[in-house]
Amino acid sequence: MWLFKQLQAFGQQGVRAMEAMGRAAFLLLHSLTWGGPGSATWRDLVKQIYSVGVLSLLIIVVAGFFVGMVLGLQGFTILSNFGSVSALGTLVSLTILRELGPVVTALLFAGRAGSALTAEISLMKATEQLSAMEMMGVDPLKRVITPRLWAGIISLPILTALFSLVGIFGGAFVAVDLVGVDTGAYWGNMQAAVQFYEDVVKGLIKSVVFGVVVTWIAVYQGYDSVPTSEGIGKATTQTVVISSLAILGLDFVLTALMFGGI
Amino acid sequence: MSDSYISMRNLSFYRGERAIFKDLSLDLPRGKITAIMGPSGTGKTTLLRLIGGQLAPDAGEVRVAGRNLQSLSRTEMLTLRRERMGMLFQAGALFTDLSVFDNVAFPLRTHTKLPESMIRDLVLMKLEAVGLRGARDLMPAQLSGGMARRVALARSVAMDPELIMYDEPFAGLDPVSMGMIVKLIRGLNQALGLTSLLVSHDVQESCSIADYVCVLSGGKVIGFGTPQELKDSDNAEVRQFLRGEPDGPIPFHFPASDYAQDLLAGAN
Amino acid sequence: MRMRYIELAVGAFMVVGIVAVVAMAFRVSGLSSDSQGSTYVLKARFENLGGLTDRAKVSMAGVTIGRVNKIYLDPKRYEAVVEMSISKNMNTLSKDTSAAIMTAGLLGEKFIALSVGAEDEVLKDGDWISETQSAFMLEDMIGRFIFNNQGKKE
């Protein structure tokens, strides 16, 4: 009897999750396009890119530098066992361009910008600003969600590119200046091994996908939140958790499709 | 009674299993201030949303200005809201990213093609009417609760609507601000010939300005009339509510077992 | 004024992003160096590729003069066929040039080393390299070593 109840609860949760996904899909489709009375303008988009992208720069660049340095150091330690230290540049750059760049940037973005977006939208819902817009005949999705969604999609690839570049230089700093790898070996082998379309571009494609997914989750959680102070907190947490899982899961799928030939 | 601006017939609305309204019929007169009151949770805000078309009834019909809301297309509904209705939300619901001036100008800029100079004049006039013309460059975060509500009021009359709905306009205000809001509600109603719908708990203030009072309880109308008529009503619940008596048909004690027995049970 | 600052910041942000991508294109992936410039195709058959992959370098006397373009199996002769893009500057390779699959370093990747021959005629676009040497298989060498030792013992 107890087991039956558990199954029932589980099933109900599943149904609710399905409903949520349906609402989320509708939100995405409806918000990708611009236009309508009172909807957002270029200025709103620029303001959002500032708040979501530019303000995340510091954390992304600092993180990128540290990640690159750690890779350089660890890579050096491991490769010296095989006498293949000349492959360090290749190791650092491929790891960052293909995996760490897109994934770590997206995770940090979800934590910093994603949670901020969710909190902001959730607060607007709780203070009835969204209802007020509806009562004035303005579509709150077009006014509030659309510019934020596009700001995220545009910002994340840019942030990823910066993370990757800074990371590779961070690795170079450790390799060449700290542990004495030959600078020619670091950069030369890297250039031979890294291909623009295969590695750089595919990494950026990943970041575009992540940008869509993370921003979508953040915006949906805010819009669908319970309009109380607890609700805001819960929605914000959900954004970070769900985004992180989605990023990691999608990363596997994308890697398999793009690099693994599964 | 003059013709009804809003009329509801056999309105039913459910939230999940619970019936918020069952078979409700109500007429709200044009050009007058009607206060809707009732115990917490009777769905007063839900009623406003049904009138504003944000929610659709499960049964029955809602007519505003003679038009059945169900029969309107999405565009027609938006037009109706835009041109005829204004709503004042509980905490004002000002857009936090815009200044006071831009908040009031928002409906004008969105829905009309008026030149900026005309919009400026209109905004200043509305702000003057609520006494906040000098505050036009402040941001909502810098306003007190009472001021924010007055700005929101200016915003809701920006498009010169026919109907204004007030959701708990007196909640949480100090006596002075409350006096201001009361004065504004009455003044605007007369000056602009509006139909005003006031949802509130505050019996004293509401009765002081309302032409008609409607008391809801248990999803039904238990009293409708002028404030004086209802204070002398036969219905005990209506009297309890309007006189603010702590006990009566709406009980003081939450249902519980016998008091003496409960205390004694703990002693064992 | 604040809006202008924001617009400036966003513009700078996007420019820096594009610069980063371009920097990675050239500095990190060496986009400019090879794959630009015109090339011609040479083909060769090998018994065993031993781990030679697409885009492996083709070199002569240690200098990279081309890249492996395509690898596939010849279904009739059951041999591996490798197509290489060689820089057009190197168009004086003799017809008896040989191609060998070598390893760069101990654990390094495989590449093709060309050694020029003595004939006067040169290889042209689409020609086959006739002399080829397959990759050294570590297992074969070990096997040979053991076999030789066993022989000696007897």
Side-chain angles (χ1 to χ4, degrees), chain A residues 127-140:
Chain A
T127 51
E128 294 185 294
Q129 286 181 51
L130 299 182
S131 288
M133 285 179 220
E134 276 183 7
M135 281 310 293
M136 283 192 256
V138 169
D139 188 344

Side-chain angles (χ1 to χ4, degrees), chain A residues 2 10 33 42 45 48 55 73 81 83 85 89 104 109 129 131 141 161 178 185 190 210 229 232 241 243:
Chain A
W2 169 87
F10 189 69
T33 52
W42 278 117
L45 179 63
Q48 288 308 317
L55 291 180
L73 195 53
N81 290 338
V85 167
V104 173
F109 183 82
Q129 286 181 51
S131 288
L141 291 180
L178 294 186
M190 180 199 302
F210 292 152
S229 39
I232 296 177
V241 169
S243 296

Side-chain angles (χ1 to χ4, degrees), chain A residues 4-251:
Chain A
F4 184 72
K5 279 213 163 162
Q6 290 295 87
L7 283 176
Q8 197 180 36
F10 189 69
Q12 274 174 352
Q13 273 215 3
V15 169
R16 265 184 299 215
M18 284 280 182
E19 288 174 352
M21 288 213 63
R23 285 197 299 272
F26 174 75
L27 180 105
L28 180 68
L29 290 174
H30 195 85
S31 310
L32 278 178
T33 52
W34 298 72
S39 66
T41 61
W42 278 117
R43 287 195 131 198
D44 296 311
L45 179 63
V46 169
K47 265 200 275 186
Q48 288 308 317
I49 294 181
Y50 178 78
S51 126
V52 148
V54 176
L55 291 180
S56 303
L57 261 184
L58 184 64
I59 184 177
I60 297 294
V61 165
V62 170
F65 196 64
F66 278 117
V67 167
M69 289 205 292
V70 164
L71 260 185
L73 195 53
Q74 268 297 11
F76 176 77
T77 314
I78 296 175
L79 287 176
S80 345
N81 290 338
F82 297 95
S84 303
V85 167
S86 56
L88 187 57
T90 310
L91 172 73
V92 168
S93 58
L94 284 181
T95 311
I96 289 183
L97 285 171
R98 291 184 181 183
E99 292 300 329
L100 292 185
V103 173
V104 173
T105 310
L107 288 172
L108 291 172
F109 183 82
R112 198 233 142 244
S115 60
L117 278 178
T118 303
E120 191 189 359
I121 295 175
S122 188
L123 188 62
M124 282 183 145
K125 186 175 184 189
T127 51
E128 294 185 294
Q129 286 181 51
L130 299 182
S131 288
M133 285 179 220
E134 276 183 7
M135 281 310 293
M136 283 192 256
V138 169
D139 188 344
L141 291 180
K142 300 279 189 196
R143 181 159 193 270
V144 168
I145 309 281
T146 303
R148 288 168 171 81
L149 196 58
W150 280 102
I153 297 176
I154 293 174
S155 299
L156 192 54
I158 295 178
L159 290 170
T160 304
L162 288 169
F163 180 99
S164 299
L165 190 69
V166 169
I168 292 174
F169 274 91
F173 171 66
V174 163
V176 174
D177 298 323
L178 294 186
V179 291
V181 172
D182 176 46
T183 181
Y186 188 85
W187 292 104
N189 286 331
M190 180 199 302
Q191 286 178 358
V194 173
Q195 297 150 265
F196 185 68
Y197 292 107
E198 285 297 307
D199 301 310
V200 178
V201 170
K202 283 187 178 173
L204 287 177
I205 292 177
K206 273 191 187 180
S207 69
V208 172
V209 173
F210 292 152
V212 173
V213 170
V214 171
T215 319
W216 177 21
I217 292 173
V219 150
Y220 170 72
Q221 287 296 329
Y223 190 74
D224 210 49
S225 63
V226 176
T228 62
S229 39
E230 297 177 331
I232 296 177
K234 181 159 185 247
T236 314
T237 317
Q238 299 249 78
T239 291
V240 177
V241 169
I242 298 179
S243 296
S244 304
L245 293 176
I247 291 168
L248 294 171
L250 267 180
D251 183 51

Side-chain angles (χ1 to χ4, degrees), chain B residues 50-266:
Chain B
L50 282 165
I51 295 173
Q54 282 181 315
L55 294 173
D58 292 309
E61 69 170 23
V62 179
R63 282 180 172 275
V64 174
R67 311 187 61 190
N68 186 342
L69 292 186
Q70 310 310 95
S71 67
L72 297 180
S73 71
R74 191 177 158 78
T75 339
E76 286 172 332
M77 186 72 229
L78 284 175
T79 313
L80 187 69
R81 275 203 208 133
R82 212 157 67 208
E83 293 173 3
R84 313 253 192 141
M85 296 188 196
M87 181 145 171
L88 182 61
F89 290 86
Q90 199 155 331
L94 295 178
F95 300 143
T96 44
D97 53 328
L98 299 178
S99 69
V100 164
F101 183 92
D102 290 325
N103 258 288
V104 180
F106 182 80
L108 294 168
R109 286 185 183 140
T110 314
H111 296 307
T112 68
K113 294 191 169 57
L114 294 174
E116 264 310 295
S117 51
M118 262 192 97
I119 290 183
R120 183 176 179 277
D121 293 338
L122 282 170
V123 170
L124 291 181
M125 281 181 352
K126 306 295 179 187
L127 282 176
E128 176 74 11
V130 300
L132 286 173
R133 186 169 52 92
R136 65 177 174 264
D137 292 320
L138 294 179
M139 299 300 286
Q142 299 169 286
L143 301 173
S144 73
M147 288 167 73
R149 229 168 276 194
R150 284 191 280 159
V151 174
L153 184 52
R155 183 178 69 178
S156 38
V157 297
M159 295 282 284
D160 289 322
E162 295 174 348
L163 166 72
I164 294 206
M165 297 183 275
Y166 301 88
D167 192 353
E168 304 278 359
F170 309 123
L173 287 182
D174 64 274
V176 175
S177 305
M178 212 180 315
M180 290 186 198
I181 296 279
V182 169
K183 168 174 177 275
L184 285 172
I185 293 177
R186 198 192 330 220
L188 282 174
N189 200 72
Q190 278 174 342
L192 300 177
L194 301 172
T195 302
S196 300
L197 203 55
L198 184 52
V199 162
S200 177
H201 280 142
D202 199 317
V203 175
Q204 205 180 333
E205 301 293 342
S206 309
C207 287
S208 71
I209 51 168
D211 298 311
Y212 292 96
V213 172
C214 168
V215 182
L216 292 178
S217 180
K220 289 194 175 291
V221 179
I222 55 172
F224 188 93
T226 66
Q228 196 50 53
E229 280 170 11
L230 288 188
K231 280 200 178 122
D232 301 328
S233 158
D234 301 331
N235 188 319
E237 199 178 342
V238 171
R239 277 203 313 271
Q240 179 192 8
F241 191 78
L242 286 175
R243 292 183 194 171
E245 288 158 14
D247 205 2
I250 302 167
F252 178 71
H253 287 289
F254 192 79
S257 58
D258 183 68
Y259 188 33
Q261 286 203 344
D262 213 357
L263 282 180
L264 289 174

Side-chain angles (χ1 to χ4, degrees), chain C residues 13-102:
Chain C
F13 177 66
M14 300 186 82
V15 167
V16 169
I18 296 177
V19 166
V21 175
V22 170
M24 285 198 288
F26 291 109
R27 207 68 240 261
V28 170
S29 65
L31 189 63
S32 55
S33 42
D34 44 82
S35 70
Q36 242 69 313
S38 32
T39 57
Y40 66 105
V41 173
L42 289 180
K43 296 188 254 197
R45 287 203 184 83
F46 295 91
E47 273 185 17
N48 198 322
L49 289 180
L52 183 75
T53 56
D54 243 347
R55 300 225 33 150
K57 61 180 190 225
V58 178
S59 68
M60 177 171 277
V63 177
T64 305
I65 57 170
R67 291 252 161 213
V68 169
N69 215 345
K70 213 159 118 180
I71 296 178
Y72 56 92
L73 184 68
D74 182 338
K76 294 205 190 78
R77 294 169 58 158
Y78 297 106
E79 283 175 332
V81 178
V82 173
E83 274 185 27
M84 303 170 259
S85 303
I86 308 291
S87 162
K88 275 229 169 101
N89 296 338
M90 299 302 306
N91 56 359
T92 53
L93 299 171
S94 64
K95 268 243 176 252
D96 60 344
T97 298
S98 63
I101 299 182
M102 309 226 121

